[in-house]
Amino acid sequence: MLDIGWTEIASIVIIAILVIGPKDLPKAMRSVARMIGKVKGMIREFQSNIDDMIKETELEEVKNQIQSVRTADINRKIEETVDSKGEITKAMDFSQEAADFNKSMQESSDTTAKPAVEDKSDKTAKS
């Protein structure tokens, strides 16, 4: 951790006994242990706050991605991917054929109706 060897620890203990005294050394060790515990707790809290900020940032990115997917026109994207030249769309466009069919149906109904009208006029002309 701090790369302190046994000789350094022994030196610190000897100096602490001389400076603090053998009678007050246990109290000093307890207060040092409490301070170390508080520092560790602050480090843990700081780390959890950093982790929360990272999660919020990632969540914001995910929210932005979801919003972009919601606003995207997926049908258009699929159509561009599958049929980029529009050949399938043109092949499946039956609107012109339907218009031609309707026109031919109207023409055929007009031709069948015209003789009936002509027949009536012929009868009135003969009489």
Side-chain angles (χ1 to χ4, degrees):
M1 192 161 87
L2 295 174
D3 200 25
I4 298 176
W6 287 104
T7 55
E8 288 90 5
I9 292 175
S11 301
I12 293 172
V13 170
I14 290 172
I15 292 173
I17 290 173
L18 293 175
V19 173
I20 298 173
K23 185 177 180 182
D24 293 329
L25 189 61
K27 290 179 185 177
M29 294 298 283
R30 265 188 247 118
S31 62
V32 168
R34 283 189 202 129
M35 287 176 47
I36 291 173
K38 287 180 182 180
V39 168
K40 284 184 178 181
M42 288 175 19
I43 290 172
R44 261 187 256 116
E45 184 178 337
F46 180 74
Q47 183 67 37
S48 69
N49 288 339
I50 295 290
D51 290 341
D52 289 342
M53 288 177 13
I54 290 171
K55 287 178 185 176
E56 287 177 9
T57 304
E58 290 173 354
L59 285 176
E60 193 65 35
E61 290 175 7
V62 169
K63 286 179 185 177
N64 290 339
Q65 290 174 352
I66 289 172
Q67 186 63 27
S68 68
V69 168
R70 283 183 180 166
T71 58
D73 186 9
I74 294 181
N75 289 336
R76 186 178 53 81
K77 295 260 187 201
I78 292 172
E79 189 173 311
E80 286 176 1
T81 304
V82 173
D83 187 23
S84 60
K85 295 180 181 178
E87 295 170 353
I88 297 173
T89 306
K90 289 176 187 174
M92 297 303 290
D93 186 17
F94 297 114
S95 60
Q96 184 62 36
E97 292 176 15
D100 292 342
F101 178 75
N102 287 338
K103 188 176 180 182
S104 67
M105 290 301 289
Q106 286 177 352
E107 289 174 357
S108 67
S109 68
D110 288 344
T111 57
T112 57
K114 284 182 183 178
V117 172
E118 290 176 10
D119 288 341
K120 289 181 183 179
S121 63
D122 287 339
K123 288 180 184 179
T124 57
K126 290 181 181 178
S127 321

